[in-house]
Amino acid sequence: MTFASPFPVGFSNRNGKLYCEDIPLDDLARRYGTPLYVYSRSAIEETIADYQQELKGTDHRVFFAMKANSNLGILDLMNRKGCGFDIVSGGELARALAVGADPKKIVYSGVGKTVREMREALQAGILCFNLESIPELDRLQEVAADMGVVANVSVRINPNVDAKTHPYISTGLKNNKFGVAYESSVELYKKAASLPNIRVTGIDCHIGSQITELSPFLDAGHKVLDLVDALKAEGIEIDHIDFGGGLGVRYIDETPPAASELVKALTTLCEERGYGHLTLYFEPGRSLIARSAVLLMTVQYLKPTESKNFCIVDTGMNDMMRPALYEAEMPIVETVENDEPAKRWDIVGPICESGDWLDKNRRLKVRAGDVLAMFSAGAYGMSMASNYNSRPNAMEIMVSGEEVQVIRERGTYADLMRNERLLKQVKRD
Ligand code: LLP
């Protein structure tokens, strides 16, 4: 088996078969069909505990960035384990409320909040809006005034640091659309502090995703704290600093710091700079959920050609976009050891696009009908899935020991067409 050890928590190789907790992956594929996202409950619980370990006995808080995975079953577990939520749309707010999240544990990020979304969030009584521009501040003041309420705000600053990650998922550089330029943020704060329906409570930043070193977080942390100094000099006091998300995970051989290390480094930095009394917020997405899942697929056809060997599976870029969109490398492995000769394969889906690939040049022992597994598929997998080529959504299940719970039924053809309508008869027909 080509999988690079160590296995993620919750997954193991027992006598040549891959398991999620106590169930073989190929059994799950046979029972539920593929494409199938399989989550390990203990893996999720363990990563949450790693974040929370350094936060015990403090007011610091973890808000799961649910864009990484917004399945209700996953959110339910996060909520039960004490996480709050970082949302970016009215739909995400509805999901958080649907699992019974406390609105006082919801922060709202994103550059494009609409009037309707602001209203809904104010109505729910969320903890804080992370603002990204002056027009957004003006709009929030207007909406809050109209509703007769006061909105808590934090300003997302763009610290202009290099997160050293893929350009598509780097967000803290000057040329990104995100955040407020460092230089103009004091002005924005002054304006916010003067508005009657706005209460300034914090500052935030988020510099990118899949960051595998501590240094960009610390660089950004220093810049944020410089700004807290500047705000203090203006008489503007805040009560929290939100360091965003962004911590990377191991897909191949990356060695990112543990969540507890990141939390410790940033709490220590704040203490050293005299801000130990402020509450720290973290908005992790990927690092809380990526490693807890595999995506199972079944080999349909083997198609060796002159230049390449194609292994065509029943799972495509519509089910998992990351390789096609970011050229992300997410290794795919056999789920059962076998005696086929090993060859190099490109693992491709059924979608009519050359970009529809899941893994390239992977050494596999594979036959038609075999079940393969893509590891670390829990983040930005199902949440970015589409129905392109009219393919129904994949199914999602959560495994705990020998127990399985379906957390998303497999999509149907009727689901695909549910919101669409035939044309009315018109005269010229
Ligand atoms: N907070 C804010 C304001 C964000 O924009 C994001 C992610 C997060 C938190 C969570 O970041 P994380 O801990 O997951 O790195 N689809 C891409 C990743 C996009 C990330 C967008 N923002 C991917 O599949 O790599």
Side-chain angles (χ1 to χ4, degrees):
M1 212 159 289
T2 47
F3 191 76
S5 310
F7 278 94
V9 173
F11 298 89
S12 57
N13 181 348
R14 301 187 192 166
N15 303 319
K17 267 188 180 231
L18 293 194
Y19 277 65
C20 176
E21 306 220 354
D22 296 325
I23 313 184
L25 293 180
D26 65 321
D27 279 7
L28 290 170
R30 258 191 301 277
R31 235 193 284 172
Y32 296 99
T34 52
L36 181 69
Y37 278 94
V38 181
Y39 299 85
S40 153
R41 180 169 176 151
S42 57
I44 301 173
E45 289 174 345
E46 197 155 311
T47 46
I48 298 173
D50 191 24
Y51 264 102
Q52 288 173 339
Q53 172 189 326
E54 288 294 324
L55 305 179
K56 279 214 182 89
T58 71
D59 283 340
H60 307 325
R61 303 176 201 182
V62 175
F63 300 85
F64 175 51
M66 73 160 84
K67 60 173 81 70
N69 192 318
S70 54
N71 179 293
L72 293 183
I74 303 286
L75 301 184
D76 188 18
L77 183 55
M78 297 282 176
N79 187 43
R80 286 173 200 227
K81 293 284 160 192
C83 292
F85 296 105
D86 169 39
I87 61 166
V88 291
S89 69
E92 289 195 346
L93 173 64
R95 286 177 178 276
L97 298 178
V99 298
D102 176 355
K104 286 283 160 253
K105 285 177 156 182
I106 297 177
V107 296
Y108 195 159
S109 304
V111 294
K113 302 173 193 85
T114 63
V115 169
R116 174 183 164 177
E117 288 174 324
M118 286 178 174
R119 267 187 187 283
E120 288 166 353
L122 286 169
Q123 189 75 45
I126 65 161
L127 178 63
C128 190
F129 288 83
N130 293 345
L131 296 184
E132 304 225 12
S133 66
I134 289 182
E136 187 191 348
L137 170 66
D138 293 338
R139 177 180 279 180
L140 186 61
Q141 159 60 32
E142 230 171 82
V143 176
D146 189 49
M147 294 173 71
V149 296
V150 173
N152 291 336
V153 305
S154 155
V155 176
R156 174 172 177 182
I157 64 146
N158 183 331
N160 195 25
V161 301
D162 185 0
K164 300 182 188 137
T165 183
H166 192 289
Y168 286 12
I169 50 177
S170 172
T171 49
L173 280 172
K174 262 191 182 152
N175 58 0
N176 295 128
K177 71 175 173 182
F178 298 102
V180 177
Y182 190 77
E183 297 72 23
S184 47
S185 42
V186 175
E187 283 317 302
L188 199 155
Y189 268 104
K190 280 205 237 167
K191 177 165 190 192
S194 73
L195 296 174
N197 297 80
I198 298 289
R199 184 186 301 122
V200 172
T201 60
I203 188 165
D204 66 285
C205 77
H206 171 82
I207 54 174
S209 202
Q210 185 55 14
I211 302 167
T212 53
E213 295 168 42
L214 273 184
S215 60
F217 289 106
L218 290 171
D219 292 348
H222 272 293
K223 291 224 175 169
V224 169
L225 292 172
D226 291 346
L227 199 57
V228 180
D229 287 340
L231 294 176
K232 209 169 159 193
E234 294 287 342
I236 300 172
E237 297 279 344
I238 56 166
D239 62 31
H240 74 263
I241 305 179
D242 180 339
F243 283 112
L247 180 61
V249 299
R250 169 183 280 229
Y251 286 105
I252 317 154
D253 54 3
E254 302 89 332
T255 50
S260 50
E261 279 177 75
L262 173 69
V263 172
K264 187 153 184 83
L266 289 171
T267 43
T268 308
L269 174 70
C270 290
E271 275 158 23
E272 283 168 3
R273 298 267 313 248
Y275 291 112
H277 60 289
L278 296 181
T279 305
L280 302 193
Y281 295 1
F282 297 89
E283 298 171 358
R286 187 193 315 270
S287 53
L288 271 180
I289 194 73
R291 301 259 297 163
S292 71
V294 294
L295 173 56
L296 299 184
M297 57 198 79
T298 305
V299 177
Q300 299 298 303
Y301 304 104
L302 295 178
K303 185 172 174 182
T305 70
E306 238 169 62
S307 51
K308 270 183 183 279
N309 295 323
F310 291 106
C311 169
I312 302 169
V313 295
D314 63 354
T315 300
M317 66 191 278
N318 71 298
D319 302 300
M320 167 49 84
M321 277 195 79
R322 301 195 70 255
L325 194 58
Y326 312 115
E327 294 187 26
E329 199 180 340
M330 304 178 73
I332 289 177
V333 299
E334 305 90 340
T335 54
V336 181
E337 267 168 24
N338 64 70
D339 296 330
E340 284 300 301
K343 282 190 198 159
R344 298 260 167 204
W345 297 94
D346 277 13
I347 296 127
V348 300
I351 303 255
C352 302
E353 301 254 0
S354 295
D356 179 28
W357 58 275
L358 296 169
D359 196 8
K360 281 187 177 164
N361 213 19
R362 184 70 47 200
R363 229 175 113 78
L364 285 179
K365 298 177 169 185
V366 70
R367 302 157 297 195
D370 282 358
V371 175
L372 302 178
M374 171 190 275
F375 270 82
S376 304
Y380 304 109
M382 196 64 216
S383 65
M384 291 175 70
S386 80
N387 297 116
Y388 188 37
N389 280 203
S390 285
R391 290 169 46 80
N393 283 342
M395 189 176 200
E396 295 178 284
I397 59 175
M398 183 160 328
V399 176
S400 180
E402 288 182 340
E403 229 178 82
V404 182
Q405 277 192 60
V406 174
I407 57 171
R408 181 195 296 268
E409 298 289 349
R410 187 168 297 288
T412 64
Y413 295 146
D415 291 337
L416 291 178
M417 297 181 257
R418 177 149 297 132
N419 293 327
E420 297 173 36
R421 300 290 176 264
L422 296 176
L423 289 179
K424 286 189 189 121
Q425 280 307 108
V426 288
K427 276 205 185 93
R428 60 186 151 79
D429 287 340

